[in-house]
């Protein structure tokens, strides 16, 4: 494989991280996904996905400042990397190509 | 990484905080570097949820969320972190250390298993056989203990038993008079329902043109379905048996007779004339029910159920007590109840009330027996079906336990022996920084891995062997009954326990070694004589020997019974049941069959000296005796003049009945036991009296004495018996003298068909019926043989392993000895001697134990063998031979090795 595999949920998390630019961390991503997909989203799932994405080099992370709301604990903020953006773009392109190749795209 | 509490936390009430323990769980579980951010995120989300959903729900969601954080990803991440930066111990929590080390233990344990493959296989196999045996026996015992528990109200159902003594005759009955149940339920509000069963034995049920003999027919009250849990697949349980001439049948009977279960309203014909309408179909009675009937006919169809006879005991009666009723509260009132109703009946019968009756030594005592006790603890007259015996359950259990113990000992022995050679490894590990507890953990994990493997093999073995076991134990057990699923965790726990036990000795022993001594070679593990190990070997063989001796004794006793002179000639006697189906033709049939070639003689009677035929015990008054308490209890059988010649019973005095003498209708023959009981030197022409009712007394004259013959089980000595010339047409016995038994039987059957008008022909042979009486002993014998074989097999596996181990460790010694001129024979002797000594000690211990146990068992029999010394010698020699064979295989192998090879290294 020339590119790291990206699962469906990972892709969603990556996209959300890109959407939330600068304020993306566990809670906000989970909330955003919950709202948009109306699925049950567990924090643990989001976190594991984020760590995996980081290991694959699609996101970067740094510890942010402490806030009183979290009992003074810092949060880890995630930003999408260039590689992440490129992968998302490639996936989108691939999908578009496939949609275009479909003889009857209206599907229903 | 500091886990910082906030400097000035806002005061939050505890129920609005996330649960502490959940936080602690997460802290323990997740990688430390992620702790802060994860906890932060979780808390932030929690506060949002408190605002949205309330504190209680938020706390629940929080716990759920934390639990979902416990996923393999984090473990892997931690393990990776540990291996990546293993120099930085300070940052690794105890958790990740344990994780990685456990993995290492498993790897090492697996390698060790593969290194000594033969050894491991022997070890695991021995334990697996033991476990499999234990598994099967547990299934058996569970099945026995489960009897009748399928009834939802089982703990409230009681059967009423009767203990009865009239004259000298004592009876323990499982039945009570017909009015007992309804009257009792009426008088005592604690009784919610009662149901009576009346069992008349088999019926002929018409199917198309032919009639089939059905044994599972019973008459019951309509309350059957209120008391017992017998779900109906068709029909209404409330109304099913409330009319006379109705019947409820099982599904399989419905299919057998009609090919469908849609049979409501159809008619079944019993004994040609009785027509019952089918008003219900129930599921087949579970195999764990103490009664197994197929046809439940309405009690309203029979007159006997309405006669109100307090002195007839024919109805099996079950009481369903109301919730919370103590049976003792009812038992206390049984005496007055009996007095109230039995006294008038006794007055009419014998001119005395219950008190007067009791003064003559008689009694009528009722008692309640819990439903769940019936299968294992009840052996009374008129049981609905033969029951099992708690003693068998205990015996099986004890055997299983012993086998398992032998297997465990084996396992321990081999593990210990094997690990003794690992002193150097322990030393090395200690030098490299292993902690004491880590070494212990390592050995324990190794042995638990082995016992876990054994469990897997055991389950496989169990699955394969279950059908054979079912045949052996006469059961239909399935391995995966849903209610036995709890057995699996129990087994798993058990396997771990065995592993722990077996591993504990080597673990604690070896982990104590001082590394410096071990590495210098000061601890000579090989030369250490393990007294514990020897003790265990002795224990194993002693146990096996007890089982072997037990087997020998049981078999000798069974052979003895079979070859016993029973006093009658049981060969080639054909017994035909239900001869009264012939109606008026009984005598004609007998005479015509008597003319057939190959038939010597025939006798018409319902009494034959094997199970399944009549028993009839009554009280008799010897000459001049009138008092009821001096009456003698004796069996009286109605036979004809051909009884003695047909069964080959010998007369010692007097003469047989004569067909010509009409006075012989009051003549009797007695056996020697009866003659002894009566105490006449010459009994001929003495008379005895039999009270038929309050008014009528029959007087019998003794015309002859027959040699004692065994008419009951050989467990009892021969009791007093009277043969009386009277009509009894339940059966016919024919003495055959032919090489072609099948041909003669076919001829007899053909004759039956012409005269019996469609009634089934059912016959048996006397000798087969006789053997059947000792089937439970035979089954016990077979079980013992299987167990003895298993015990010896496991013990020998252990011995094989141990001898292999010793031989291997003494390779060098053997090499040196050979170089110095020792012969192969002397080396084999050297290696075998130690083990044989142990087996001899075992024989010494086992013999008295086995002698004592088997002597107790033999007390059950009136006719028994003496336990001869040859049994012990034989068992001992057998064990010795097997042990020698096992050991010598290894020692000969060791002795034949070229010393050049064994001495070359170093």
């Amino acid at each position: 494989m020339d590119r790291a595999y990206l699962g469906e949920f990972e892709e969603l998390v990556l996209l959300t991280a890109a959407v939330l630019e600068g304020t993306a961390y566990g809670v906000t991503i989970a909330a955003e996904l919950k709202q948009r997909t109306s699925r049950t989203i567990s924090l643990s799932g989001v976190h594991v996905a984020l760590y995996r994405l980081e290991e694959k080099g699609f996101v970067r992370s740094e510890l942010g400042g402490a806030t009183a709301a979290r009992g003074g604990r810092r949060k880890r903020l995630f930003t999408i990397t260039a590689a992440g953006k490129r992968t998302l773009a490639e996936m989108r392109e691939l999908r578009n190509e496939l949609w275009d190749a479909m003889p009857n795209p209206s599907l229903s | 990484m500091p886990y910082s509490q906030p400097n000035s936390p806002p005061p939050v009430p505890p129920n609005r905080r996330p649960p502490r323990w959940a936080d602690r769980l997460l802290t323990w579980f997740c990688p430390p570097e992620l702790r802060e951010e994860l906890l932060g995120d979780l808390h932030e989300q929690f506060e949002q949820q408190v605002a949205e959903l309330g504190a209680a729900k938020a706390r629940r969601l929080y716990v759920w969320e934390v639990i979902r954080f416990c996923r393999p990803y984090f473990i892997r991440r931690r393990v990776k972190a540990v291996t990546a930066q293993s120099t930085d111990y300070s940052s690794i929590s105890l958790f990740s250390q344990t994780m990685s080390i456990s993995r290492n233990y498993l790897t090492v344990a697996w390698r060790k298993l593969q290194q000594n493959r033969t050894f491991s296989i022997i070890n695991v196999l021995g334990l697996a056989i033991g476990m499999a045996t234990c598994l099967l026996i547990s299934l058996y015992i569970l099945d026995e203990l489960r009897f009748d528990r399928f009834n939802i109200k089982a703990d409230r159902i009681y059967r009423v038993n009767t203990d009865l003594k009239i004259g000298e005759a004592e009876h323990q009955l499982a039945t009570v008079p017909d009015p007992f149940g309804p009257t009792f339920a009426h008088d005592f509000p604690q009784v919610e329902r009662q149901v009576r069963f009346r069992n008349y034995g088999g019926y002929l049920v018409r199917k198309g043109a032919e009639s089939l003999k059905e044994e599972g027919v019973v008459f019951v009250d309509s309350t059957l379905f209120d008391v017992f849990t017998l779900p109906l697949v068709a029909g209404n349980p409330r109304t099913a048996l409330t009319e006379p001439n109705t019947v409820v049948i099982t599904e399989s009977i419905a299919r057998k007779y009609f090919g469908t279960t849609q049979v409501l309203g159809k008619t079944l014909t019993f004994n040609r004339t009785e027509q019952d309408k089918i008003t219900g179909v129930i599921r087949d009675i579970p195999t764990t029910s103490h009664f197994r009937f197929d046809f439940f006919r309405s009690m309203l169809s029979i007159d006997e159920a309405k006669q109100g006879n307090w002195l007839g005991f024919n109805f099996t009666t079950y009481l369903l007590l109301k919730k919370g009723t103590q049976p003792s509260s009812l038992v206390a009132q049984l005496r007055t109840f009996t007095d109230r109703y039995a006294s008038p009946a006794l007055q009419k019968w014998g001119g005395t009330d219950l008190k007067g009756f009791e003064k003559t030594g008689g009694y009528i005592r009722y008692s309640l027996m819990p439903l769940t006790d019936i299968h294992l603890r009840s052996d009374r007259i008129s049981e609905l079906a033969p029951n099992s015996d708690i003693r068998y359950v205990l015996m099986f259990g004890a055997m299983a336990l012993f086998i398992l113990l032998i297997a465990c000992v084996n396992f321990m022995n081999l593990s210990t022996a094997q690990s003794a050679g690992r002193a150097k490894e322990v030393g090395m590990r200690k030098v490299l920084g292993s902690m004491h507890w880590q070494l212990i953990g390592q050995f324990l994990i190794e042995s638990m891995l082995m016992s876990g493997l054994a469990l897997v093999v055991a389950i496989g073995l169990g699955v394969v062997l279950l059908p054979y076991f079912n045949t052996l134990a006469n059961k239909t057990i399935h391995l995966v009954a849903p209610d036995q699923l709890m057995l699996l965790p129990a087994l798993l726990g058990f396997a771990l326990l065995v592993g722990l036990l077996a591993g504990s000795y080597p673990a604690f022993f070896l982990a104590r070694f001082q590394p410096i001594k071990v590495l210098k070679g000061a601890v000579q593990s090989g030369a250490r004589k393990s007294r514990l190990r020897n003790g265990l070997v002795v224990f194993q063989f002693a146990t096996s020997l007890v089982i072997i001796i037990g087997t020998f004794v049981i078999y000798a006793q069974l052979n003895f019974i079979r070859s016993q002179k029973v006093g009658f000639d049981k060969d080639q006697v054909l017994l035909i049941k239900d001869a009264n189906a012939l109606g008026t033709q009984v005598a004609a049939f007998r005479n015509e069959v008597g003319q057939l070639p190959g038939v010597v003689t025939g006798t018409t009677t319902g009494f034959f000296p094997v199970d399944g035929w009549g028993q009839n015990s009554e009280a008799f008054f010897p000459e001049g005796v009138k008092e009821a308490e001096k009456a003698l209890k004796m069996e009286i059988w109605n036979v004809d003049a051909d009884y003695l010649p047909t069964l080959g019973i010998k007369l010692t005095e007097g003469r047989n009945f004569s067909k010509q003498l009409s006075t012989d209708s009051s003549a009797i023959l007695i056996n020697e036991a009866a003659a002894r009981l009566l105490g006449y030197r010459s009994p001929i022409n003495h008379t005895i009296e039999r009270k038929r009712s309050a008014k009528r007394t029959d007087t019998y004259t003794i015309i002859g004495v027959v040699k004692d013959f065994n008419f009951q089980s050989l467990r009892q000595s021969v009791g007093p018996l009277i043969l009386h010339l009277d009509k009894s047409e339940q059966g016919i016995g024919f003495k055959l003298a032919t090489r072609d038994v099948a041909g003669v039987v076919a001829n007899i059957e053909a004759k039956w068909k012409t005269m019996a008008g469609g009634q089934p022909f059912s016959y048996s042979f006397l000798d087969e019926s006789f053997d059947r009486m000792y089937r439970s002993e035979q089954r016990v014998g077979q079980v013992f043989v299987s167990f003895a074989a298993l015990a010896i097999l496991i013990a020998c596996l252990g011995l094989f392993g141990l001898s292999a181990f010793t031989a291997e460790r003494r390779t060098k010694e053997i090499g040196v000895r050979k170089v110095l001129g020792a012969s192969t024979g002397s080396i084999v002797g050297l290696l075998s001697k130690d083990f044989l000594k142990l087996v001899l000690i075992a024989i010494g211990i086992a013999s008295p134990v086995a002698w004592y146990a088997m002597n107790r068992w033999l007390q059950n029999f009136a006719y028994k063998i003496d336990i001869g010394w040859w049994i012990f010698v034989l068992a001992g020699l057998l064990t010795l031979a097997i042990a020698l064979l096992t050991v010598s295989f290894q020692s000969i192998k060791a002795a034949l090795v070229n010393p050049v090879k064994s001495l070359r290294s170093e």
Side-chain angles (χ1 to χ4, degrees):
Chain A
M1 261 216 285
D2 57 340
R3 190 183 64 205
Y5 168 78
L6 207 54
E8 191 255 1
F9 188 68
E10 283 179 339
E11 189 187 347
L12 281 179
V13 171
L14 186 55
L15 280 166
T16 320
V19 170
L20 292 174
E21 203 187 346
T23 59
Y25 65 99
V27 180
T28 51
I29 293 175
E32 185 76 19
L33 276 175
K34 218 177 277 180
Q35 194 199 332
R36 283 186 190 266
T37 62
S38 59
R39 293 196 227 176
T40 26
I41 304 288
S42 78
L43 263 186
S44 56
V46 172
H47 273 111
V48 170
L50 281 170
Y51 296 140
R52 287 223 171 96
L53 287 170
E54 190 172 15
E55 281 163 23
K56 290 171 187 168
F58 296 147
V59 292
R60 215 177 24 241
S61 75
E62 56 192 331
L63 283 175
T67 42
R70 304 159 53 92
R73 296 184 190 91
R74 290 171 295 170
K75 51 182 106 162
R76 185 172 292 276
L77 292 166
F78 292 85
T79 0
I80 187 163
T81 60
K85 281 189 184 141
R86 195 168 56 244
T87 306
L88 281 179
E90 277 170 19
M91 288 182 81
R92 184 180 186 178
E93 210 160 296
L94 176 68
R95 290 203 178 138
N96 284 343
E97 276 169 29
L98 287 169
W99 275 102
D100 293 341
M102 218 184 289
N104 179 14
S106 69
L107 263 192
S108 47
Chain B
M1 206 168 285
Y3 174 66
S4 54
Q5 279 292 326
N7 293 334
S8 53
V12 185
N15 61 348
R16 292 184 70 83
R17 267 200 315 255
R20 280 259 160 83
W21 64 268
D23 280 0
R24 236 171 274 139
L25 176 68
L26 187 79
T27 314
W28 180 75
F29 200 86
C30 79
E33 69 273 14
L34 301 179
R35 192 180 296 150
E36 184 181 349
E37 56 196 80
L38 291 184
L39 270 179
D41 277 11
L42 275 169
H43 280 227
E44 189 179 333
Q45 195 188 38
F46 176 75
E47 272 154 43
Q48 283 170 15
Q49 280 171 344
V50 169
E52 281 169 31
L53 308 163
K57 185 152 191 209
R59 279 164 69 91
R60 266 204 309 280
L61 285 171
Y62 186 85
V63 170
W64 178 228
E65 191 73 76
V66 167
I67 289 170
R68 302 203 10 189
F69 261 102
C70 303
R71 38 169 86 203
Y73 172 80
F74 291 110
I75 301 178
R76 246 177 282 138
R77 195 173 157 135
R78 295 184 71 162
V79 171
K80 223 185 279 171
V82 170
T83 35
Q85 34 165 319
S86 49
T87 45
D88 186 12
Y89 281 106
S90 57
S91 72
I92 303 169
S93 74
L94 196 65
F95 172 84
S96 41
Q97 228 180 37
T98 320
M99 285 305 299
S100 64
I101 288 176
S102 303
R103 250 163 64 126
N104 175 258
Y105 285 170
L106 280 178
T107 323
V108 171
W110 187 245
R111 280 184 203 151
K112 281 280 164 213
L113 277 183
Q114 294 205 311
Q115 225 169 49
N116 301 309
R117 201 167 292 162
T118 338
F119 225 47
S120 313
I121 289 174
I122 289 174
N123 209 347
V124 168
L125 204 65
L127 191 60
I129 294 172
M131 280 180 172
T133 317
C134 203
L135 174 72
L136 291 179
I137 303 276
S138 314
L139 287 176
Y140 168 82
I141 292 178
L142 281 180
D143 193 68
E144 286 285 281
L145 296 181
R146 240 176 6 165
F147 257 74
D148 292 311
R149 303 228 181 242
F150 67 89
N151 288 298
I152 292 164
K153 300 167 190 161
D155 53 332
R156 293 194 280 138
I157 304 174
Y158 292 82
R159 190 184 69 191
V160 191
N161 292 336
T162 310
D163 289 314
L164 190 65
K165 188 175 177 195
I166 297 178
E168 284 293 310
E170 284 178 75
H171 306 277
Q172 296 189 310
L173 304 165
T175 46
V176 294
D178 65 279
F180 187 100
T183 315
F184 199 78
H186 175 262
D187 287 7
F188 294 98
Q190 298 100 305
V191 180
E192 190 174 309
R193 280 276 186 286
Q194 67 86 28
V195 59
R196 296 173 298 165
F197 285 58
R198 175 64 172 110
N199 182 12
Y200 288 106
Y203 272 86
L204 292 166
V205 184
R206 189 181 298 158
K207 184 194 180 194
E210 53 175 340
S211 285
L212 304 178
K213 179 82 184 247
E214 293 287 353
E215 297 292 339
V217 185
V218 73
F219 289 88
V220 289
D221 282 321
S222 61
T223 43
L224 174 74
F225 307 106
D226 296 333
V227 179
F228 292 101
T229 308
L230 301 171
L232 278 91
V233 293
N236 182 350
R238 282 180 200 288
T239 57
L241 292 169
T242 48
E243 299 281 323
N245 301 321
T246 53
V247 64
V248 171
I249 56 176
T250 56
E251 277 182 302
S252 44
I253 285 296
R255 291 217 183 79
K256 178 174 165 192
Y257 282 86
F258 302 100
T260 165
T261 55
Q262 307 295 314
V263 294
L264 286 189
K266 295 195 177 167
T267 306
L268 276 173
T269 309
F270 295 87
N271 279 8
R272 295 196 201 180
T273 52
E274 302 163 26
Q275 299 206 320
D276 279 9
K277 196 173 85 173
I278 299 171
T279 49
V281 179
I282 53 170
R283 280 205 211 115
D284 287 0
I285 308 285
T287 50
T288 53
S289 172
H290 77 280
F291 59 80
R292 304 282 308 278
F293 292 105
D294 292 313
F295 300 83
F296 293 90
R297 301 178 66 186
S298 172
M299 190 64 96
L300 298 166
S301 316
I302 54 170
D303 292 331
E304 192 192 355
K306 302 166 212 155
Q307 65 183 8
N309 175 9
W310 281 95
L311 295 178
F313 299 82
N314 286 322
F315 288 78
T316 312
T317 302
Y318 300 87
L319 304 176
L320 173 67
L321 305 190
K322 286 209 173 115
K323 272 192 187 122
T325 304
Q326 287 300 316
S328 51
S329 70
L330 289 172
V331 169
Q333 307 191 55
L334 276 169
R335 175 70 178 75
T336 33
F337 179 83
T338 314
D339 194 22
R340 191 183 316 151
Y341 293 100
S343 282
L346 280 167
Q347 200 84 44
K348 222 185 276 171
W349 176 73
T352 172
D353 63 356
L354 186 63
K355 282 207 189 73
F357 179 64
E358 280 172 350
K359 273 201 195 106
T360 68
Y363 53 73
I364 302 173
R365 287 180 199 143
Y366 298 114
S367 55
L368 300 185
M369 177 172 240
L371 174 71
T372 45
D373 275 2
I374 293 174
H375 175 65
L376 289 176
R377 294 174 200 276
S378 180
D379 183 19
R380 291 174 163 261
I381 301 168
S382 314
E383 295 280 354
L384 291 178
N387 289 324
S388 179
D389 192 331
I390 186 83
R391 279 178 306 181
Y392 287 143
V393 173
L394 291 176
M395 199 173 68
F396 269 45
M399 292 290 253
L401 215 62
F402 272 122
I403 299 239
L404 192 68
L405 217 55
I406 296 180
C408 283
V409 163
N410 223 1
F411 184 68
M412 246 166 116
N413 250 351
L414 287 178
S415 311
T416 319
Q418 205 179 355
S419 55
R422 292 171 65 180
K424 283 235 166 70
E425 181 193 332
V426 172
M428 202 51 149
R429 278 181 184 270
K430 278 202 166 180
V431 167
L432 291 177
S434 266
M435 312 280 260
H436 187 67
W437 62 264
Q438 285 174 327
L439 283 169
I440 292 176
Q442 186 193 340
F443 284 113
L444 288 185
I445 284 185
E446 266 175 44
S447 63
M448 283 195 278
L449 182 73
M450 287 252 232
S451 59
L453 272 179
L455 178 68
V456 174
V457 179
I459 291 176
L461 274 176
V463 172
V464 174
L465 294 178
L466 193 63
Y468 301 100
F469 181 75
N470 272 337
T471 330
L472 190 67
N474 200 15
K475 282 257 167 200
T476 46
I477 303 171
H478 302 285
L479 198 55
V480 273
D483 51 336
Q484 285 166 1
L485 277 182
M486 53 73 144
L487 210 60
L488 275 180
L491 274 173
L492 199 66
F494 168 75
L496 290 182
L497 189 74
V498 169
L500 210 63
L501 276 180
S504 58
Y505 173 73
F508 290 97
F509 174 70
L510 288 172
R512 254 198 346 246
F513 281 166
Q514 300 254 316
I516 186 148
K517 279 194 195 154
V518 176
L519 292 178
K520 251 167 53 184
V523 176
Q524 263 290 331
S525 59
R528 248 189 110 261
K529 278 224 168 92
S530 169
R531 203 174 292 166
L532 176 78
R533 200 148 65 221
N534 288 347
L536 290 176
V537 170
V538 169
F539 168 81
Q540 272 187 320
F541 271 87
T543 315
S544 318
L545 257 164
V546 171
I547 299 178
I548 291 177
I549 294 172
T551 313
F552 278 152
V553 172
I554 288 176
Y555 261 73
Q557 171 70 17
L558 283 178
N559 270 334
F560 175 74
I561 284 179
R562 255 183 248 136
S563 62
Q564 256 286 305
K565 282 219 164 43
V566 289
F568 57 89
D569 186 4
K570 56 190 192 304
D571 293 328
Q572 292 216 353
V573 178
L574 178 85
L575 306 179
I576 298 170
K577 269 212 140 181
D578 301 311
N580 40 13
L582 291 161
T584 53
Q585 304 243 61
V586 177
F589 173 75
R590 202 195 83 180
N591 291 337
E592 284 189 31
V593 171
Q595 308 299 318
L596 291 173
V599 179
V600 181
T601 171
T603 178
T604 311
T605 178
F607 298 92
F608 288 102
V610 283
D611 276 355
W613 293 90
Q615 299 270 305
N616 185 22
S617 180
E618 289 194 30
F620 293 90
F621 297 87
E623 257 169 337
V625 173
K626 287 276 171 278
E627 305 91 327
E629 61 267 30
K630 285 198 185 152
L632 300 171
K633 181 195 163 205
M634 291 190 266
E635 272 302 291
I636 176 159
W637 289 6
N638 295 338
V639 299
D640 65 9
D642 294 317
Y643 194 70
L644 299 193
T646 307
L647 291 181
I649 298 167
K650 303 233 162 31
L651 274 167
T652 58
E653 250 183 284
R655 61 174 178 87
N656 192 4
F657 302 116
S658 160
K659 283 174 202 163
Q660 279 77 42
L661 287 172
S662 58
T663 50
D664 268 7
S665 63
S666 67
I668 54 168
L669 294 168
I670 59 173
N671 71 351
E672 291 167 313
R676 276 195 300 277
L677 186 71
L678 289 165
Y680 302 129
R681 182 173 300 158
S682 165
I684 309 292
N685 290 331
H686 281 283
T687 58
I688 61 172
E689 286 181 350
R690 175 191 196 184
K691 205 167 184 175
R692 300 307 285 263
S693 66
K695 299 233 175 70
R696 182 176 155 209
T697 303
D698 288 357
T699 307
Y700 299 135
T701 311
I702 300 167
I703 58 161
V705 179
V706 298
K707 247 178 116 62
D708 276 346
F709 64 97
N710 268 103
F711 60 90
Q712 287 155 329
S713 161
L714 279 168
R715 290 182 193 199
Q716 303 149 24
S717 47
V718 178
L721 172 73
I722 296 170
L723 298 177
H724 178 221
L725 188 65
D726 205 346
K727 207 165 112 175
S728 165
E729 297 187 330
Q730 274 87 47
I732 304 178
F734 290 109
K735 173 74 181 176
L736 314 181
T738 174
R739 290 243 177 93
D740 177 25
V741 175
V744 174
V745 171
N747 286 341
I748 297 176
E749 185 168 3
K751 191 115 277 170
W752 174 278
K753 287 224 166 110
T754 62
M755 302 176 82
Q759 307 293 327
F761 179 67
S762 72
Y763 70 94
S764 57
F765 283 97
L766 186 59
D767 50 351
E768 284 170 11
S769 307
F770 183 79
D771 282 346
R772 206 172 303 134
M773 288 166 73
Y774 301 97
R775 196 165 277 173
S776 75
E777 271 79 17
Q778 272 167 352
R779 183 159 289 144
V780 171
Q782 283 168 355
V783 170
F784 257 89
V785 170
S786 330
F787 279 140
L790 277 176
I792 273 286
L793 178 69
I794 299 174
C796 283
L797 272 179
L799 204 58
F800 184 80
L802 273 186
S803 59
F805 173 74
T806 333
E808 186 195 306
R809 239 166 342 122
R810 292 170 81 171
T811 314
K812 288 237 163 67
E813 181 197 332
I814 293 165
V816 173
R817 279 175 191 272
K818 281 192 88 169
V819 169
L820 294 177
S823 70
T824 309
S826 70
I827 288 174
V828 171
L830 177 83
L831 287 172
S832 310
K833 201 179 58 198
D834 288 347
F835 289 112
L836 295 186
K837 232 187 286 170
L838 296 181
V839 175
L840 282 176
I841 297 175
I843 294 175
I845 294 174
S847 301
V849 175
W851 180 84
Y852 176 74
M854 292 327 289
N855 231 3
R856 293 275 310 264
W857 181 73
L858 284 174
Q859 300 305 323
N860 287 330
F861 293 87
Y863 301 91
K864 53 178 182 266
I865 51 162
D866 292 319
I867 306 178
W869 55 270
W870 62 270
I871 287 183
F872 298 99
V873 172
L874 193 65
L877 282 179
L878 186 74
T879 318
L880 214 56
I882 297 174
L884 193 67
L885 215 69
T886 317
V887 175
S888 64
F889 177 76
Q890 283 300 330
S891 43
I892 290 174
K893 208 169 90 180
L896 287 178
V897 171
N898 188 343
V900 172
K901 272 191 189 148
S902 53
L903 293 177
R904 190 167 49 193
S905 63
E906 269 181 41

